[in-house]
Amino acid sequence: MSRVFTGLMALAGVAMLAGCDTILRDALDTRQNAGPCPSAASLYESARVVKLEDGENFGNITYTGEITDVRLFCRYVSDAPLEAQLELDFAFGKGPNASDNQHVYTYWVAVTRRNGNVLAKERFATQADFSDGKVDAVTETVSRITIPRADESISGANFEILVGFELTEEQLQFNRDGKRFRLDAQGG
């Protein structure tokens, strides 16, 4: 019984090491990408959100949010699909008309061709915590963005990854009109 158990433990150890080897090899993969990564950015008119109640007045602000930075990391070799990971930095503010110290913000991530055709779009949510009475900053990671390529001649430069807040028509028009309230709008 002891020999069987020892044999099974050794086999399990070899399997675990094989898995670690794959993870380690992927993490230490120093091969150069076959081409450039797609560009990644927040869409200007959707990069900020101002939630107001009863008119466009500073005293009516409930919550604000802004996408402050977008970073993309990608990996592809030969004709394999492009694998990307996105990191997004957000800054959130609580206005004088806010009713809670927690607020959920919805944002989207879209993979597009350079000509603007949307290939995929997914929605995500992040939560801000204002319990300390300050502006909240959050970094979110969107992993495993896969961009299939027809063959190895297709470069990542043919694609874009765009992000933005999910906005109402009024919020979108507010941004398009160039209106703005500061992120650090604090309320009671």
Side-chain angles (χ1 to χ4, degrees):
M1 187 68 134
S2 160
R3 282 188 162 174
V4 171
F5 181 74
T6 303
L8 288 174
M9 290 304 290
L11 184 59
V14 169
M16 284 180 18
L17 286 176
C20 288
D21 179 50
T22 301
I23 292 168
L24 187 59
R25 185 175 54 243
D26 289 344
L28 299 177
D29 190 351
T30 58
R31 292 178 291 175
Q32 187 171 1
N33 268 348
C37 290
S39 62
S42 56
L43 191 60
Y44 179 74
E45 61 190 24
S46 300
R48 64 189 195 299
V49 60
V50 176
K51 296 186 178 197
L52 298 159
E53 286 188 18
D54 301 325
E56 295 177 8
N57 181 317
F58 179 81
N60 295 335
I61 297 172
T62 55
Y63 301 98
T64 65
E66 188 166 347
I67 300 169
T68 58
D69 196 15
V70 178
R71 295 174 299 283
L72 178 78
F73 307 96
C74 82
R75 186 80 183 128
Y76 62 101
V77 179
S78 66
D79 64 348
L82 178 66
E83 295 288 332
Q85 176 177 306
L86 196 63
E87 285 183 359
L88 304 165
D89 292 338
F90 295 94
F92 300 119
K94 177 183 172 189
N97 211 13
S99 59
D100 196 2
N101 283 330
Q102 307 284 320
H103 187 71
V104 175
Y105 294 83
T106 305
Y107 64 98
W108 50 263
V109 175
V111 176
T112 67
R113 290 201 181 277
R114 293 293 261 185
N115 65 8
N117 289 344
V118 176
L119 302 174
K121 184 176 180 180
E122 191 169 339
R123 286 167 181 74
F124 299 90
T126 186
Q127 184 167 336
D129 181 5
F130 303 106
S131 56
D132 63 1
K134 296 183 181 173
V135 173
D136 195 22
V138 173
T139 298
E140 291 286 341
T141 301
V142 178
S143 299
R144 293 294 208 192
I145 299 170
T146 302
I147 303 170
R149 300 181 302 141
D151 58 51
E152 65 185 35
S153 70
I154 306 298
S155 166
N158 292 308
F159 305 94
E160 292 179 305
I161 298 179
L162 300 173
V163 299
F165 284 106
E166 195 71 25
L167 301 174
T168 65
E169 283 299 319
E170 293 81 19
Q171 291 167 334
L172 186 58
Q173 192 59 52
F174 182 89
N175 289 347
R176 286 179 177 160
D177 290 344
K179 297 175 185 175
R180 182 174 192 100
F181 286 111
R182 297 295 312 164
L183 286 174
D184 55 357
Q186 296 294 309

